[in-house]
Amino acid sequence: MHRTQPLEMRINRRTLRSNKLKLKGFGNWLRASLTGPPPEFGGVPKGFTSDYAKLNKGQLSGGITCKSQQLPVPDPNSESIRCGLNQFSHANWPIFWTHHRNARLLGKSLVHIDSAGRACREAMHGPHAWSDPILASRSSPSPKILSGKWTSLISRWDYGVNYYHWVMDGLTRLCQLECLPSDTGILMHKLAKPFAREALAQLGLSERVRYVDEDHLLVEEYYFLSPTAISGCANPLGLSWLRKRFLNEKLTEVGTEKLFITRRAATRTVLDLELVENAFMRAGWTIVDPAKMNWDSQRLLFSKAAMVAGIHGAGMTNLVWVPAGTPVVEWMPSKFRNACYEGISILLGNPHHVMLCPSDNSGNLTIGLKTLDPIFKIFASIQR
């Protein structure tokens, strides 16, 4: 397919930004740890610790759901390899849960701190720990005390606001909920959008949820549910759980809908969006703006998809619901590459073509009408 950049792998702009955040995070932490109060009074953590290592050593109670996951090897020409984010290289990421008494949760990401003042590395998505917001600022000096049993779906990636991070980073943690006592409450951020609240209601969990905005909690009994994958990386167990819990078997049959996922957002805008939408409508496609749809509507519509084309963004998360064999084309800004959506297709065995589009440093892109004819020919050649 047509590409706008050389074929060799290059350093991804997201990787550079992540490294800058990690370096900044280290600087913030070092400055705050030298001059600020200790964690028990809202200061930054004294360092990192691993719940998984402690669990294996018998220093914590809990359980291990999966020590590692078997991941497919992406095609060398796939965006998952070319983008340079190594999103299929974390098969050894463990999925587990741990139990803590009188646990202290700090920061906007509500990371739990051990008795030595160290933050749980797995709660900070492992390699991304140094860019977690818990290191950037102090928390409230006095904690809000919660009695009883609680777990949390809040993290630096998930406040129930971004659809992708909610579905793949937050919601999937509930695959281990049955391991916990049945009276365990669930902490969510008060900013959580309707799609997050509706998903919990569909699981019958609404009565167990407490919506919080505090950045310092002291929890009588805290159950940590590890993320099922590092954010953005291949997540086979989480994906399988989502489809089992939210898709009726009949809805995963061959679909009939041709769906174009548009993007009308303040960031990573499409400069020729109206022209592109009109071209797809003339070709008989349905224009879909997931941002205007509720939880059920998105899930049900995409479960009937026969073909999907879309612009890189959270709306592409709905590939989680498409039938097996659904072909996908994704337009991606050349300077804002991320294969997280292609990763979903690879795990489902669905053909996924990424079209790199010229973009500025903010990810604003131009698709170009000339690139659409080959796409329509590809879809027309697919008999479903």
Side-chain angles (χ1 to χ4, degrees), residues 1 258 280 283 285 307 327 329 331 353 369-383:
M1 267 195 177
K258 296 191 296 183
F280 272 92
W285 289 61
M307 302 176 182
V329 170
W331 282 271
H353 302 277
L369 292 180
K370 292 181 179 180
T371 68
L372 298 184
D373 286 340
I375 298 302
F376 290 136
K377 290 179 181 178
I378 289 175
F379 280 121
S381 68
I382 299 173
Q383 302 297 323

Side-chain angles (χ1 to χ4, degrees), residues 34-351:
L34 292 174
T35 61
E40 57 266 30
F41 293 104
V44 299
K46 295 180 179 179
F48 304 139
T49 186
S50 169
D51 269 21
Y52 186 62
K54 290 181 179 179
L55 183 60
N56 281 309
K57 294 177 182 177
Q59 298 172 352
L60 282 176
S61 60
I64 298 174
T65 298
C66 182
K67 293 183 178 181
S68 63
Q69 301 190 65
Q70 185 173 358
L71 301 180
V73 178
D75 185 280
N77 292 319
S78 69
E79 181 65 13
S80 295
I81 298 298
R82 292 175 179 271
C83 77
L85 293 181
N86 302 317
Q87 289 164 294
F88 274 79
S89 62
H90 298 282
N92 61 341
W93 180 260
I95 302 171
F96 65 94
W97 62 274
T98 52
H99 177 230
H100 307 258
R101 296 187 183 277
N102 299 316
R104 191 176 303 277
L105 280 59
L106 288 180
K108 293 180 179 179
S109 47
L110 288 183
V111 175
H112 59 287
I113 310 296
D114 71 3
S115 58
R118 299 170 300 180
C120 174
R121 190 171 182 269
E122 290 85 7
M124 305 162 83
H125 286 262
H128 298 295
W130 278 113
S131 58
D132 193 283
I134 192 177
L135 305 177
S137 61
R138 299 178 188 179
S139 305
S140 302
S142 300
K144 168 72 175 180
I145 298 176
L146 293 183
S147 59
K149 306 178 183 71
W150 296 92
T151 189
S152 172
L153 300 184
I154 300 171
S155 74
R156 59 86 46 88
W157 297 115
D158 180 49
Y159 301 107
V161 173
N162 177 278
Y163 189 67
Y164 173 83
H165 289 302
W166 160 245
V167 172
M168 301 306 294
D169 299 330
L171 184 57
T172 54
R173 294 168 75 169
L174 293 178
C175 70
Q176 299 187 98
L177 186 63
E178 294 180 355
C179 299
L180 311 187
S182 59
D183 58 344
T184 303
I186 300 169
L187 300 178
M188 284 282 292
H189 199 279
K190 75 169 187 177
L191 295 178
K193 290 188 175 181
F195 58 72
R197 299 171 188 247
E198 291 163 7
L200 293 173
Q202 191 170 355
L203 291 172
L205 298 175
S206 295
E207 298 301 318
R208 295 170 60 173
V209 178
R210 178 188 176 111
Y211 292 95
V212 301
D213 62 352
E214 294 89 353
D215 62 1
H216 190 174
L217 300 176
L218 193 61
V219 183
E220 182 180 12
E221 291 193 63
Y222 179 65
Y223 291 88
F224 170 62
L225 298 175
S226 71
T228 53
I230 299 173
S231 186
C233 293
N235 190 351
L237 189 147
L239 178 60
S240 175
W241 179 82
L242 287 168
R243 291 174 69 85
K244 286 179 180 177
R245 292 306 303 265
F246 291 100
L247 282 183
N248 184 299
E249 289 184 2
K250 293 182 179 179
L251 296 181
T252 59
E253 298 174 354
V254 174
T256 57
E257 299 286 341
K258 296 191 296 183
L259 307 175
F260 175 78
I261 303 173
T262 191
R263 178 177 174 84
R264 297 183 179 91
T267 59
R268 304 200 307 277
T269 59
V270 181
L271 303 180
D272 55 350
L273 180 60
E274 185 176 353
L275 295 175
V276 172
E277 287 183 344
N278 288 337
F280 272 92
M281 285 191 288
R282 288 194 299 270
W285 289 61
T286 299
I287 308 300
V288 180
D289 187 355
K292 297 181 179 179
M293 302 172 67
N294 64 23
W295 171 258
D296 272 343
S297 297
Q298 293 183 72
R299 180 178 55 85
L300 292 173
L301 176 61
F302 281 88
S303 70
K304 301 174 183 177
M307 302 176 182
V308 175
I311 301 162
H312 181 78
M316 294 290 289
T317 309
N318 285 298
L319 294 178
V320 166
W321 315 122
V322 304
T326 302
V328 179
V329 170
E330 175 186 2
W331 282 271
M332 184 179 298
S334 59
K335 295 184 179 180
F336 213 85
R337 298 170 69 171
N338 188 331
C340 58
Y341 305 115
E342 183 192 62
I344 294 171
S345 293
I346 290 174
L347 293 176
L348 292 176
N350 294 347

